């Protein structure tokens, strides 16, 4: 029986993950779920942000469904004592190197975007970001030399790290519109020249996928100029951090966007992964019952697709969410003046479509 670790976390995390679990239970009653504390919820119990028992639960599960972590009261705490430390601990414990962020604008939600509706109508792309290498993990130092403060960060990539994330991108493109945009800065950086060489070499293995290489500055421009031209975008950690937020905000609604972080090992469709909304704990609306559960529900769909090899139910859930939006139902964050539903009522509408 497949098993899922459910880590709601803080703020609206538990409120929206609860809704995702309701949807998951409807389409896959055979899936076992077990909850565990993480982030502020763990700190409040005198435990570390990622308690050992929670880590062990994740290790024996097929996948992790994660809400969000972070509470204002811990903002001044040292990093290891902040709820957010749990995220880095989970990513590194399970070597979750591939971060997938599907960006989709549901019909009817075009006016939530800061771009003109015709630019985002039907938008459906995925950013694949390398998550465990590069600048954020290279050697770093801050020192004083001759009275001058100097800070150094190192961008480092090993060829196998580049190859495996590019493979994730190519394989994903194969299941979609077969267009891959590989983003680098090969006119300046050595890591990018290595990236480009490997991407060009691998393209020969995927003759059915059309490949475009873009410099990161150009990619940032094209994302707001013609977002619809992209299918799968694959890039290294820092570029991906920035581009995936840019791509996300093009939709205008953070509450609708899910993400997957996939680990090493497994085969396509049966990889261990962590699935979470891209938004945070939203302290401003916590406890009001108005958070948008879409990102959490769509994260459950990604979990089915990538960890339980269940494309059928993943597509069913995505279709049900699209149908609810098409019928004009909204939560407050995307209501734009029209009547809005509370969190649970929106999920009821999704369940009614299933
Ligand atoms: P946030 O994403 O929590 O909130 C930004 C805005 O988006 C707020 O107005 C919020 O109400 C709204 N929002 C977010 N999700 C929503 C949803 N599902 N429905 C409706 N509205 C939604 O970002 P922030 O305010 O910068 O951060 C708050 C806390 O969350 C911080 O402690 C931060 O560290 C943490 N955080 C955690 C994660 C994570 O766990 N992956 C990610 C981002 C931020």
């Amino acid at each position: 029986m497949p098993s899922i670790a459910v880590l709601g976390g803080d703020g609206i995390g538990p409120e929206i993950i609860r809704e995702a679990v309701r949807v998951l239970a409807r389409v896959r009653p055979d899936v076992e779920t077990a909850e565990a504390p993480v982030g502020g919820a763990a700190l409040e119990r005198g435990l570390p942000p990622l308690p050992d028992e929670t880590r062990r639960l994740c290790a024996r599960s097929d996948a992790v469904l994660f809400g969000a972590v972070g509470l204002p009261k811990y903002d001044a705490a040292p990093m290891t004592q902040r709820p957010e430390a749990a995220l880095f601990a989970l990513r590194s414990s399970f070597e979750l190197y591939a971060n997938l962020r599907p960006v989709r604008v549901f019909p009817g939600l075009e006016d939530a975007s800061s771009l003109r509706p015709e630019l985002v109508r039907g938008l459906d792309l995925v950013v694949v970001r390398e998550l465990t290498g590069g600048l954020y993990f290279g050697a770093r130092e801050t020192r004083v030399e001759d009275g001058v403060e100097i800070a150094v960060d190192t961008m480092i990539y090993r060829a196998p790290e580049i190859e495996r994330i590019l493979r994730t991108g190519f394989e994903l493109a194969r299941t979609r519109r077969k267009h891959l945009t590989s983003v680098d800065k090969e006119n300046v950086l050595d890591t990018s020249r290595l990236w480009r060489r490997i991407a060009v070499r691998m393209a020969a293995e995927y003759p059915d996928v059309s490949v475009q290489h873009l410099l990161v500055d150009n990619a940032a421009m094209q994302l707001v100029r013609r977002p619809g031209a992209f299918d799968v975008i694959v890039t290294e950690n820092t570029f991906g951090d920035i581009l995936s937020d840019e791509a996300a905000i093009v939709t205008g609604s953070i509450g609708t966007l899910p993400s997957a972080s996939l680990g090493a090992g497994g085969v396509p469709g049966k990889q261990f992964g962590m699935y979470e909304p891209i938004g945070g704990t939203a302290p401003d609306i916590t406890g009001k019952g108005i958070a948008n559960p879409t990102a959490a529900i769509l994260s459950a769909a990604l979990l089915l697709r990538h960890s339980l090899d269940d494309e059928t139910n993943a597509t069913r859930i995505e279709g049900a969410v699209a149908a609810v939006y098409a019928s004009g139902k909204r939560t407050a964050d995307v209501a734009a003046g029209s009547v809005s539903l509370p969190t649970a009522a929106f999920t009821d509408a999704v369940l009614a479509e299933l």
Side-chain angles (χ1 to χ4, degrees), residues 12 16 66-72 75 82 84 87 91 254-256 276-285 290-293 295 331 333:
I12 63 163
I16 55 178
F66 187 94
V69 286
L71 292 172
D75 280 355
R82 288 183 59 161
E84 290 88 337
L87 273 176
R91 286 174 188 163
I254 201 169
T256 65
E276 55 177 320
I278 69 154
T281 56
D284 51 338
I285 57 166
I290 59 169
N292 189 342
T331 44
D333 54 321

Side-chain angles (χ1 to χ4, degrees), residues 290-326:
I290 59 169
N292 189 342
T294 303
I297 293 170
L298 294 178
S299 295
L302 292 179
L303 184 155
L304 289 170
R305 174 171 295 129
H306 296 292
S307 289
L308 300 191
D309 203 15
D310 187 355
E311 179 60 35
T312 306
N313 281 310
T315 311
R316 268 182 79 202
I317 293 174
E318 289 162 351
V321 169
V324 171
Y325 280 120

Side-chain angles (χ1 to χ4, degrees), residues 8-222:
D10 308 320
I12 63 163
E15 299 174 27
I16 55 178
I17 288 300
R18 187 184 309 136
E19 305 304 317
V21 170
R22 284 173 67 205
V23 173
L24 198 56
R26 169 68 66 86
V27 299
R28 287 291 301 264
D30 61 313
V31 171
E32 213 169 65
T33 54
E35 291 181 29
V38 71
L43 289 166
E44 297 291 295
R45 298 182 197 189
L47 298 165
L50 179 64
D52 285 341
E53 188 40 52
T54 301
R55 190 197 308 261
R56 279 197 290 273
L57 172 70
C58 296
R60 58 177 188 268
S61 302
D62 293 298
V64 179
L65 188 59
F66 187 94
V69 286
L71 292 172
K73 69 181 270 198
Y74 294 104
D75 280 355
M79 195 52 205
T80 54
Q81 283 308 307
R82 288 183 59 161
E84 290 88 337
L87 273 176
F88 297 102
L90 279 163
R91 286 174 188 163
S92 55
S93 286
F94 297 103
E95 222 191 322
L96 301 173
Y97 68 87
N99 185 221
L100 273 52
R101 279 198 187 184
V103 175
R104 210 175 147 188
V105 172
F106 291 106
L109 281 189
E110 294 85 356
D111 51 7
S113 174
S114 43
L115 298 185
R116 290 198 306 277
E118 64 268 27
L119 285 177
V120 297
R121 188 160 294 124
L123 185 68
D124 179 5
L125 62 86
V126 183
V127 180
V128 177
R129 167 190 171 196
E130 203 288 327
L131 206 55
T132 54
L135 205 48
Y136 299 174
F137 290 87
R140 62 183 63 193
E141 185 191 11
T142 303
R143 62 174 188 268
V144 178
E145 246 176 51
D146 299 328
V148 177
E149 273 193 299
I150 302 177
V152 183
D153 293 292
T154 317
M155 191 186 256
I156 173 165
Y157 269 107
R158 292 162 189 85
E161 292 172 323
I162 297 175
E163 200 174 313
R164 69 181 180 179
I165 191 71
L166 280 166
R167 198 162 295 288
T168 303
F170 276 108
E171 292 291 335
L172 186 66
R174 246 186 191 165
T175 67
R176 296 173 42 95
R177 300 194 302 278
K178 300 186 172 49
H179 181 55
L180 183 77
T181 304
S182 171
V183 175
D184 59 42
K185 187 72 183 168
E186 70 96 43
N187 54 343
V188 179
L189 299 173
D190 273 36
T191 43
S192 280
R193 273 195 283 276
L194 179 60
W195 177 285
R196 176 81 64 113
R197 263 204 332 269
I198 295 173
V200 168
R201 190 189 74 218
M202 286 177 72
E205 285 180 53
Y206 293 88
D208 51 327
V209 175
S210 69
V211 182
Q212 173 191 30
H213 303 274
L214 281 189
L215 297 177
V216 62
D217 37 354
N218 189 14
M221 277 195 296
Q222 301 304 330

